[in-house]
Amino acid sequence: MTELFEPDGPHDVRVAVGAPPGRLRDLNAAGLLTAADLQVARRVGELAARAAGRDASVLAGLGDDDTVLVLALCLRALRAGSVCVDLAAPPEVDGATWPASEAWAEAVDRSDLVAQGVLHRAGTLVHLDRYHREEEQVAADLRAREELAAPPVDEARLAADLDRVFPEDRYAEQRAAARHAVTRRTTVLTGGPGTGKTTAVAGILQLLEGQAQALGVAAPRVALAAPTGKAAARLGEAIAEAGLEGFGATTLHRLLGRRPGSDTRFRHDRAHRLPYDVVVVDESSMLSLSMTARLLEAVRPETRLILVGDPDQLASVEAGAVLADLVAGFADPDGPVVRLRTSHRFGGRIGDLAAALRQAAGLDDVQAADAVLAVAAAAASEPAAAPGPAEGDVRLVALPDDDGVDARLLDELRAQVLPHARRLRAVAESGDVEQALEVLAEHRLLCAHRAGPRGVASLNQRIEGWLADEDAGVAPGGSYAGRPLLVFRNDPQLGLYNGDTGVVVRSSTDGTLRAVFATGGARRDLAVSRLGDVETMHAMTIHKAQGSQARSVTVVLPEVDSPLLTRELLYTAVTRASALVTMIGSEASLRGAVLRHVQRASGLRERLRPRRSDG
């Protein structure tokens, strides 16, 4: 499905008022290209043409130039998460006609935009030159790491330590993954939620310390990192819970060292490498192409690099789907990819649903949808209830296909969310900080959108209003005991990071309101007056929930025509729960989510595949 926009009104900034006639204006009117896409593409095309000495007649025709069109499509592709445009598969837009791919490619090759280094074509893929160079760099760096000699290993010590660290049969997958990471320079450790990725990482760190002792060298210097502050805090906490101390985690930006005046370059680069022997990056599905390029040029070639994540989850909000590309590109059995398949977080129908969504990629559309709907149909036969079921349960509250928010949806939300909000308020009012944080983590209401009738903003207001109707102590839009909090911007001074969650609690000592957060294995207790970039979190987006876990999750499916409704979105949502998933939405929306797969155009996976010998 091609995402198109609908103008909000005559003054919508996305509409190119006064654009000259041509294909660009037509595609703007169709909702594919924005005014910014047109203006930037035309201006860059004009600069390239002037640099080539073109006359005014050429400049006047840029609105219908096929190569300027490719540039505009590349700009649009970046917003959608792709790093290039495939001339053989242009966007599907009613009424749009596209040049034949071979003729289009020839026109691109002859263009001033290629001559001036703006665009680069390889096969049917056209990149902005920066992203082409980054793809080549990432592939070259990874291949170079694969070609290095294997690190020295004391096999006898490794065998003994594997028996000690992973003594039980249920750790067989982690055992194999750990052996792989100890004996290789690069490991891509993948697996769904609850498959024991963190257990494997903790074991790897123990094994590497044992290797250092056996080989008579210094203990390895280890860096733990993640793309976001929240993910880094969770990684540090998980490693500490595994019994390992002294392994603090940080964000990738902090690890690489910000360079003043630049958002794309860092203090550590190819000339100033990171000093670590082991670098572990968690939640690697969030890695963009550009950040991966910066990481690889900063890591020493001999450093063990361990990328950890779930390729079936939502990808980076920036351009690129690096983890999925690595898994597909390194398909060779002897490659760096290791996958954990057995989930220890959930079983039952949650496991069945997650498996059906993962396996949908290998099925045709009808089979994929039927497999997921079969799990949902079994769930729909049971009535919905408040959170607190047996482990691994799934419930579907089937709504009619009507758009918007009807009374049934609101009734179900009240039944699912209000009891939890009441309980959280009661515990927070009593001053029991630990219990308040425990109750906060019991349930999440997840939405696809921030705005709109089924979005986070609207549902937060409704839930807060319901709570205020029965409790005069609740101040909608203000602070009150039991108000759930979500941090939406990093605040290093307060030790809070984007995605951290907390709750307002009545102090048991002086009766004042305090904001309490659990982050990175520590507690943050702050006066509410010190809070800056936080918002109420009776509901949150699925993107914000990525990497977190709750006992029960309620998912509000968006309307069937939502551009965010994808298989990856649904998979990420349902795998946040350990005990209960309640999906509220129409069967059409559920089917639509299964049928829509996030497809990000990229040349990285092809660059990573083994090169064929000419002989």
Side-chain angles (χ1 to χ4, degrees):
M1 183 183 70
T2 300
E3 182 178 350
L4 305 176
F5 72 85
E6 294 184 6
D8 293 334
H11 304 294
D12 192 323
V13 296
R14 295 171 295 180
V15 177
V17 178
R23 200 189 306 266
L24 292 177
R25 188 175 75 174
D26 293 343
L27 291 173
N28 174 248
L32 180 71
L33 301 176
T34 66
D37 297 332
L38 269 64
Q39 291 164 0
V40 172
R42 281 180 51 81
R43 180 57 176 159
V44 174
E46 180 180 328
L47 291 173
R50 288 187 188 279
R54 307 298 183 192
D55 59 28
S57 63
V58 173
L59 300 180
L62 290 179
D64 204 32
D65 183 88
D66 287 342
T67 57
V68 174
L69 169 61
V70 173
L71 176 55
L73 290 174
C74 283
L75 297 172
R76 176 194 175 273
L78 292 177
R79 291 201 316 276
S82 294
V83 296
C84 59
V85 169
D86 189 347
L87 300 181
E92 297 178 3
V93 181
D94 289 342
T97 59
W98 304 98
S101 60
E102 291 185 5
W104 206 356
E106 292 174 0
V108 170
D109 288 346
R110 295 192 303 267
S111 72
D112 298 324
L113 290 171
V114 168
Q116 298 299 321
V118 178
L119 295 178
H120 185 281
R121 183 189 69 83
T124 61
L125 299 183
V126 180
H127 293 71
L128 291 176
D129 189 64
R130 166 191 163 181
Y131 293 96
H132 166 257
R133 286 185 282 108
E134 287 182 342
E135 274 195 355
E136 284 203 320
Q137 179 215 312
V138 167
D141 284 346
L142 287 170
R143 283 199 303 268
R145 294 178 61 82
E146 286 293 280
E147 292 167 1
L148 286 174
V153 173
D154 186 305
E155 287 289 348
R157 178 62 182 266
L158 178 58
D161 283 351
L162 283 169
D163 288 339
R164 175 178 57 84
V165 176
F166 301 108
E168 301 176 31
D169 289 343
R170 68 190 182 101
Y171 293 124
E173 292 180 352
Q174 287 80 5
R175 182 188 183 97
R179 166 173 275 282
H180 181 282
V182 170
T183 58
R184 301 287 291 258
R185 301 288 182 187
T186 305
T187 297
V188 181
L189 177 60
T190 71
T195 53
K197 298 188 294 292
T198 303
T199 299
V201 169
I204 291 167
L205 298 181
Q206 294 178 67
L207 295 175
L208 290 175
E209 286 194 359
Q211 286 296 301
Q213 294 171 6
L215 296 171
V217 298
R221 294 165 293 179
V222 177
L224 304 179
T228 67
K230 178 62 175 175
R234 284 194 300 268
L235 173 60
E237 185 173 359
I239 293 296
E241 289 174 352
L244 301 184
E245 298 181 355
F247 292 101
T250 186
T251 65
L252 277 173
H253 284 80
R254 282 188 170 186
L255 177 69
L256 297 178
R258 288 188 178 275
R259 181 182 294 180
S262 177
D263 292 330
T264 59
R265 292 290 173 176
F266 298 89
R267 187 162 48 83
H268 290 287
D269 54 20
R270 210 173 293 278
H272 303 89
R273 304 275 195 171
L274 289 165
Y276 300 103
D277 305 301
V278 183
V279 174
V280 179
V281 180
D282 198 15
E283 296 293 349
S284 293
S285 63
M286 299 182 189
L287 280 176
S288 66
L289 175 64
S290 295
M291 181 55 77
T292 306
R294 301 293 81 79
L295 172 67
L296 287 171
E297 68 186 15
V299 173
R300 295 181 302 168
E302 65 272 19
T303 294
R304 284 181 173 88
L305 176 62
I306 304 169
L307 302 177
V308 185
D310 183 355
D312 297 311
Q313 286 191 28
L314 290 165
S316 166
V317 295
E318 299 178 36
V322 172
L323 185 61
D325 284 342
L326 296 187
V327 172
F330 284 125
D332 190 314
D334 295 327
V337 177
V338 181
R339 183 150 200 168
L340 305 179
R341 301 183 182 278
T342 304
S343 176
H344 305 284
R345 175 182 297 181
F346 44 65
R349 287 182 183 151
I350 296 180
D352 294 342
L353 183 58
L357 289 167
R358 283 196 306 271
Q359 294 162 7
L363 304 174
D364 63 40
D365 288 349
V366 173
Q367 289 177 313
D370 287 349
V372 172
L373 288 169
V375 180
S381 64
E382 298 181 4
E391 297 293 315
D393 202 3
V394 172
R395 289 174 181 155
L396 173 66
V397 179
L399 299 180
D401 292 341
D402 298 335
D403 291 341
V405 176
D406 60 15
R408 175 84 187 282
L409 173 59
L410 295 180
D411 287 345
E412 292 296 339
L413 286 177
R414 288 185 74 116
Q416 291 291 320
V417 178
L418 201 52
H420 178 259
R422 290 192 196 108
R423 186 172 174 224
L424 179 61
R425 169 148 172 76
V427 172
E429 190 68 62
S430 74
D432 190 331
V433 171
E434 294 301 321
Q435 190 177 5
L437 290 171
E438 289 176 6
V439 172
L440 177 70
E442 286 178 358
H443 179 258
R444 290 285 186 269
L445 172 61
L446 304 181
C447 309
H449 294 270
R450 284 195 56 81
R454 297 190 186 189
V456 166
S458 174
L459 295 184
N460 268 326
Q461 290 180 355
R462 285 186 181 274
I463 295 164
E464 215 166 39
W466 292 335
L467 200 58
D469 287 344
E470 60 185 41
D471 189 334
V474 174
S479 288
Y480 52 89
R483 179 194 177 198
L485 302 171
L486 175 67
V487 179
F488 60 82
R489 188 173 291 116
N490 293 344
D491 190 339
Q493 289 186 334
L494 294 181
L496 299 178
Y497 297 94
N498 186 7
D500 280 346
T501 59
V503 60
V504 176
V505 177
R506 179 81 61 188
S507 171
S508 58
T509 55
D510 59 12
T512 61
L513 293 178
R514 308 286 297 179
V516 183
F517 298 84
T519 175
R523 297 284 182 265
R524 299 286 187 272
D525 187 329
L526 306 167
V528 293
S529 60
R530 297 187 64 191
L531 297 179
D533 298 319
V534 299
E535 59 189 9
T536 300
M537 192 199 66
H538 291 293
M540 68 188 304
T541 63
I542 296 168
H543 276 83
K544 285 285 188 183
Q546 190 166 356
S548 65
Q549 178 183 350
R551 179 169 173 76
S552 63
V553 163
T554 301
V555 184
V556 178
L557 296 175
E559 289 86 350
V560 69
D561 60 352
S562 167
L564 297 183
L565 187 63
T566 64
R567 190 187 311 156
E568 289 81 0
L569 185 90
L570 182 58
Y571 174 83
T572 301
V574 301
T575 54
R576 298 311 91 208
S578 62
L580 169 67
V581 172
T582 300
M583 298 180 291
I584 305 178
S586 68
E587 181 177 315
S589 290
L590 184 57
R591 181 178 290 274
V594 179
L595 299 182
R596 293 176 195 149
H597 171 53
V598 174
Q599 294 180 321
R600 294 191 167 186
S602 164
L604 180 58
R605 62 184 60 187
E606 289 300 325
R607 299 181 195 280
L608 293 173
R609 285 177 175 146
R611 296 172 175 174
R612 295 179 180 176
S613 171
D614 294 336

